[in-house]
Every structure is written in structure tokens, then in C-alpha cells.
């Protein structure tokens, strides 16, 4: 009896938290930061996981990380281990990395190559399509192999990007329109001809929304990012309200060169709060890429690119990715929540697949600027979280001219959570 009561209490309090989340989002001032609980309460976090990370499309990695049959990488979406693998037909598949025997994790490494997927516990073996091939001889006559294949996650790829969705159904949205644009804008890069040069995994003691909010504004850049500002222009877009005339002139000259080369650059955005957006922005005058001195990061240019001054094509995918695609390397960023006040930020640098480490590129040089920037942002995020946890915290106003990207993010977050909460 006691146990049943306890269960009811916990499920009731989650229901109450969900109702409170809906009410807080309805009542919020869209130009102010969120109420405290939405940044630090474990039940609110559980609702974020259920309504966003277990229902929406998430960026997980690039197709060139798993170029041939049996190449895989693993990713943790909250408490859900997921496996992304190249199958025998060249397709990209995502499965719950959970054995259908007694639930052990199957692939325990971060990345690797396998012929089949073999569970380390009792060696149940699955093919790359998730079919169970082998379960020993001790499972009894009634055991049906066909009913014990791996559970699939929805997968979509475009322009070399891999997205997964753990929901029962794919979310209905204009996602495919964004994917078409992603294909078109990524064409010059020929992602299949790239390789991972280096990656970093940064653990941050802050709510995932603070990580994204921080990335959506450059109000903090001048005070915190000296390395990044050697090369990055802080305007977020060609129609950024703060953009001065000399930036617009610089942009016009770059855009003319890009047009002549057939390099897509115009801003396109999709969904509420510009949930998915792509725009190519010039870097500072004379700069090639985001290295410390702004000069080349790799001898070999990517794909069909010939112009070293391609600026950076910024790709945003809410809830969990921003990216910088440049002429000789590109950088992808993935944000995955761990708990209400913990987040993992993964950064990966890609170069041409024929580029030779130590000859054509130096991973230490490639990563330097964004290692420094990530670390600076981690500290800002953690300090932000600490202050928000205080009884002294009260939601504060966003600047319309500097922080419109944050307002856009929270618009998407709020609309999506409220829409998904209603579905149950
Ligand atoms: O460059 C970025 O990815 C973002 C945009 C502005 C601030 N932040 C550094
Ligand atoms: Fe995987 Fe037993 S749990 S084989
Ligand atoms: Fe920053």
C-alpha cells in the first residue's frame, strides 16, 4: 500500500510540474529570461527531455564519421544510449543501443567498426539492419528471433548531417524543407569526401537552455572571446539591426564573389523562432578561417571550393546544434543534456579526407580558437546557472538588438513544449 502511494505521489508531482511548465510558458514575458525552475528543477528537466529531446529531431553527427559498412558511433540522449551505424547497403541507421535479451548496452565504445553488433553480456548478435542473428541454443523452442530485433530510431540525413528522432512518430513539421536547403547549401563541401580531424567533449554544469541561449547572442563576445573575435564578425545576419555600412559593403563584395562561384549564401530559415536556419556570413576582411591568425587551417580545400575566403556558413538546428562551415574545414557542435544542471557539448572539426595530419593540417592549430571559445562559454554558462539558482534571481530583459536570437530560441522552445505537452 505504501509503495503504491509513493508511486502516485511521484507521478502526481510530475503531472503538476508539467502543468506548471505549461502555465509558466503561457504567462512568461517573451522578452525576459525564464523563471528559475525552468533552468534548475529536475521535474522541469524531465519534461524538457520528454517533450523536446525524446520527440524532436536531434543532430547527432556527420555521415563521414561512418564512411563504410559497419562503422558506428554512439551517443547518449539523456538516459538513452543510441547507436548510429552504416549498414551494408550504405544507409545510415540508428538503433537504441540496448540489447533485446536483458537490456545491456551493446556497443560500449564511443566509435568503432564491426561486422555485426555483438552484445558483450551473453553474445546475442545482430546484423547491421538490427535483425537478431544469434541468441545461442538455450532460449527454448517458443523463442522467436524475429521478435527480438533492435529497436530503431527515426533517421534522416541531408548534406552530410545525421538527425535522429526517438519519438514513436516523427514530428510533423517543415523539417524536410530545411533538409532540402541543407542539401543544396552543403553541396560545395562534398561531405562524403571529408573526415573527422579532431573532436572535443566538454562537460558543463549548466542547464542545456543556458548553453543554447549563450550561443544565440554575441552580446558577451567582446567581453569574453578575444581569440574568436580575431576572425568572427559579431553580426548574426546580413540584416542584423546593428550592422554598420562598412560591414554591408564587405558583405556585398564577398557575396558577389560567392555568386560568381555558385556558392550559396542567402539567409533561409524555417519554423517558429527560425528553428532551422542557414546563412553564410563573411569573416573579418582578409580572414580565411577561424584559426588564431585567420589564415588557412588545412592545405586542401573542401569539395569543389576554390576560394579560401568563404566566410562561415552558419547552420542552426534547435534544440541542439550550431555549425561553422568554412573553406578548408568545418566545425559542428552538438549539445546534449545530462541533467537539469549538466550538459555535454561536443565539437568536431572536419577536413578533406585526403588531407594528411601533420602535413596538410595540425589538429592543435585547427581546434585552438573554438577550444578557447568553448571554455570561455562553459565558464559563462556555469556562472549563469549559479546566479539563477539563487533566491535573488528574477527573470531579466533581453536586448532587442543584441539578444533577438535568444528570444527566437525561447519562442521555439516555448511553442514546441506547449504543443507537445498537449499531445498526451
Ligand atoms: O559563432 C557562434 O557560433 C555564435 C554566434 C554568436 C556568438 N557565438 C559565438
Ligand atoms: Fe545482451 Fe544478454 S543482455 S546478450
Ligand atoms: Fe560565446
Amino acid at each position: 500500500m505504501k509503495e503504491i502511494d509513493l508511486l502516485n505521489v511521484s507521478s502526481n508531482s510530475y503531472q503538476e510540474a508539467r502543468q506548471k511548465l505549461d502555465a509558466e510558458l503561457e504567462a512568461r514575458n517573451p522578452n525576459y529570461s525564464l523563471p528559475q525552475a525552468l533552468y534548475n528543477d529536475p521535474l522541469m528537466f524531465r519534461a524538457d527531455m520528454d517533450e523536446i529531446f525524446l520527440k524532436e529531431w536531434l543532430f547527432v553527427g556527420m555521415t563521414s564519421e561512418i564512411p563504410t559498412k559497419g562503422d558506428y558511433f554512439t551517443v547518449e540522449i539523456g538516459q538513452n544510449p543510441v547507436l548510429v551505424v552504416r549498414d551494408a547497403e550504405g544507409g545510415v541507421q540508428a538503433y537504441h543501443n540496448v540489447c533485446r535479451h536483458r537490456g545491456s548496452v551493446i556497443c560500449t565504445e564511443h566509435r568503432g567498426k564491426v561486422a555485426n553488433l555483438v552484445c558483450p553480456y551473453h553474445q546475442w548478435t545482430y546484423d547491421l539492419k538490427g535483425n537478431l542473428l544469434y541468441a545461442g541454443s538455450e532460449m527454448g523452442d517458443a523463442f522467436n528471433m524475429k521478435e527480438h530485433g533492435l529497436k530503431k530510431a527515426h533517421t534522416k540525413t541531408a548534406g552530410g548531417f545525421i538527425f535522429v528522432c526517438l519519438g514513436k512518430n516523427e514530428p510533423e513539421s517543415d523539417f524536410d524543407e530545411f533538409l532540402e536547403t541543407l542539401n543544396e547549401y552543403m553541396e560545395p563541401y562534398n561531405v562524403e569526401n571529408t573526415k573527422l580531424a579532431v573532436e572535443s567533449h566538454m562537460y558543463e554544469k549548466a542547464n542545456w537552455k543556458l548553453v543554447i541561449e549563450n550561443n544565440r547572442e554575441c552580446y558577451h563576445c567582446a567581453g569574453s572571446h578575444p581569440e574568436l573575435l580575431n576572425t568572427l564578425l559579431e553580426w548574426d545576419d546580413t540584416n542584423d539591426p546593428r550592422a554598420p555600412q562598412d560591414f554591408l559593403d564587405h558583405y556585398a563584395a564577398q557575396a558577389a564573389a560567392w555568386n560568381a562561384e555558385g556558392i550559396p549564401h542567402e539567409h533561409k530559415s524555417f519554423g517558429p523562432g527560425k528553428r532551422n536556419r542557414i546563412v553564410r556570413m563573411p569573416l573579418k576582411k582578409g580572414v580565411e578561417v577561424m584559426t588564431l591568425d585567420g589564415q588557412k587551417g588545412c592545405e586542401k580545400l573542401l569539395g569543389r571550393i576554390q576560394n579560401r575566403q568563404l566566410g562561415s556558413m552558419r547552420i542552426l538546428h534547435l534544440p541542439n546544434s550550431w555549425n561553422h562551415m568554412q573553406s578548408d574545414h568545418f566545425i559542428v557542435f552538438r549539445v546534449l543534456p545530462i541533467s537539469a544542471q549538466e550538459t555535454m557539448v561536443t565539437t568536431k572539426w572536419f577536413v578533406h579526407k585526403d588531407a594528411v595530419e601533420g602535413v596538410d593540417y595540425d589538429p592543435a592549430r585547427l581546434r585552438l580558437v573554438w577550444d578557447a571559445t568553448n571554455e570561455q562559454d562553459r565558464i559563462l554558462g556555469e556562472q549563469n546557472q549559479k546566479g539563477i539558482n539563487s533566491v535573488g534571481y528574477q527573470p531579466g530583459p533581453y536586448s532587442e538588438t543584441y539578444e533577438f536570437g535568444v528570444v527566437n530560441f525561447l519562442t521555439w522552445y516555448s511553442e514546441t513544449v506547449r504543443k507537445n505537452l498537449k499531445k498526451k
Side-chain angles (χ1 to χ4, degrees):
M1 184 61 192
K2 252 194 185 143
E3 273 171 25
I4 289 167
D5 283 351
L6 274 176
L7 273 177
N8 281 339
V9 167
S10 100
S11 113
N12 282 344
S13 56
Y14 182 45
Q15 287 314 320
E16 277 163 24
R18 291 163 63 85
Q19 281 160 14
K20 183 173 162 208
L21 176 57
D22 189 49
E24 296 270 28
L25 290 176
E26 185 176 21
R28 86 193 176 98
N29 181 333
N31 297 314
Y32 273 63
S33 60
L34 297 172
Q36 180 188 59
L38 276 64
Y39 294 115
N40 72 2
D41 181 319
L43 288 178
M44 294 291 180
F45 174 74
R46 189 173 146 192
D48 276 5
M49 289 308 297
D50 286 347
E51 305 312 325
I52 300 280
F53 285 87
L54 296 182
K55 285 196 181 148
E56 295 295 320
W57 287 109
L58 305 176
F59 168 65
V60 288
M62 302 302 285
T63 52
S64 58
E65 292 176 63
I66 46 172
T68 57
K69 176 182 160 183
D71 290 334
Y72 74 86
F73 64 84
T74 57
V75 59
E76 309 271 320
I77 300 172
Q79 291 191 12
N80 307 286
V82 171
L83 161 69
V84 182
V85 66
R86 185 78 72 157
D87 69 25
E89 283 79 48
V92 172
Q93 306 289 342
Y95 305 107
H96 285 278
N97 186 13
V98 177
C99 183
R100 293 295 311 279
H101 178 215
R102 280 163 52 198
S104 172
V105 159
I106 300 166
C107 293
T108 54
E109 301 295 323
H110 181 51
R111 57 176 76 249
K113 189 177 189 67
V114 288
N116 289 306
L117 300 159
V118 183
C119 178
Y121 204 172
H122 315 94
Q123 288 73 50
W124 279 29
T125 302
Y126 306 84
D127 69 16
L128 302 177
K129 291 277 193 207
N131 303 304
L132 181 60
L133 293 179
Y134 170 83
S137 53
E138 307 303 321
M139 296 311 296
D141 293 342
F143 178 69
N144 185 344
M145 302 269 283
K146 289 205 173 71
E147 286 172 2
H148 293 84
L150 293 181
K151 290 198 179 164
K152 263 189 159 192
H154 303 288
T155 314
K156 283 189 194 258
T157 62
F161 285 72
I162 306 171
F163 300 93
V164 303
C165 167
L166 297 188
K168 217 185 325 157
N169 304 309
E170 297 179 12
E172 73 288 347
S173 69
D174 47 13
F175 193 56
D176 288 339
E177 261 178 76
F178 166 61
L179 296 188
E180 270 174 41
T181 302
L182 195 52
N183 261 326
E184 182 195 328
Y185 276 55
M186 286 300 293
E187 173 276 322
Y189 288 91
N190 193 0
V191 171
E192 296 294 335
N193 269 345
T194 66
K195 67 174 178 185
L196 181 66
V198 63
E199 68 185 315
S200 78
H201 299 275
M202 186 179 76
Y203 168 79
E204 182 166 338
K205 283 196 257 177
N207 183 274
W208 70 275
K209 296 192 288 294
L210 296 177
V211 176
I212 299 292
E213 287 187 18
N214 173 268
N215 176 262
R216 292 295 82 219
E217 49 90 356
C218 219
Y219 191 4
H220 69 274
C221 290
S224 292
H225 296 322
E227 298 85 356
L228 184 68
L229 289 185
N230 282 343
T231 59
L232 184 95
L233 288 165
E234 63 176 296
W235 328 120
D236 187 51
D237 208 336
T238 46
N239 56 14
D240 190 303
R242 298 158 300 143
Q245 193 55 45
D246 68 336
F247 164 75
L248 296 174
D249 295 344
H250 174 43
Y251 175 74
Q254 289 259 274
W258 300 337
N259 284 337
E261 293 157 9
I263 299 291
H265 59 87
E266 274 164 28
H267 176 132
K268 292 213 176 167
S269 54
F270 306 85
K274 301 183 180 168
R275 184 256 176 106
N276 292 299
R277 73 190 280 274
I278 305 191
V279 64
R280 183 179 298 280
M281 292 293 287
L283 294 165
K284 284 196 167 160
K285 272 189 196 147
V287 158
E288 295 180 350
V289 293
M290 292 167 159
T291 46
L292 195 56
D293 62 6
Q295 299 311 299
K296 68 179 115 173
C298 182
E299 286 300 329
K300 288 204 175 346
L301 291 164
L302 296 169
R304 67 168 172 84
I305 291 164
Q306 295 188 333
N307 180 354
R308 287 207 169 264
Q309 297 194 6
L310 274 203
S312 165
M313 187 164 81
R314 301 179 184 190
I315 302 172
L316 173 70
H317 170 67
L318 295 178
N320 82 322
S321 177
W322 68 88
N323 305 278
H324 284 287
M325 321 316 267
Q326 306 160 77
S327 59
D328 65 18
H329 71 285
F330 63 77
I331 318 172
V332 303
F333 300 81
R334 182 184 73 195
V335 174
L336 289 171
I338 298 169
S339 74
Q341 298 185 42
E342 294 170 298
T343 303
M344 187 63 79
V345 181
T346 300
T347 307
K348 301 177 191 179
W349 290 258
F350 291 79
V351 294
H352 193 288
K353 78 168 176 353
D354 299 333
V356 179
E357 183 177 329
V359 177
D360 295 315
Y361 69 98
D362 170 9
R365 173 176 159 80
L366 267 192
R367 66 187 293 170
L368 195 145
V369 168
W370 271 99
D371 270 353
T373 304
N374 282 339
E375 178 61 11
Q376 291 148 359
D377 282 328
R378 179 185 67 76
I379 292 167
L380 295 174
E382 293 187 354
Q383 287 165 346
N384 196 174
Q385 181 74 62
K386 269 194 180 174
I388 285 174
N389 290 347
S390 161
V391 290
Y393 170 72
Q394 155 179 5
Y398 295 122
S399 153
E400 249 178 67
T401 47
Y402 271 95
E403 293 169 305
F404 54 89
V406 184
V407 173
N408 285 343
F409 161 52
L410 293 180
T411 299
W412 172 79
Y413 166 75
S414 184
E415 282 187 21
T416 307
V417 167
R418 297 198 70 212
K419 179 184 78 188
N420 288 348
L421 275 171
K422 284 193 185 78
K423 280 185 189 159
K424 283 200 175 166

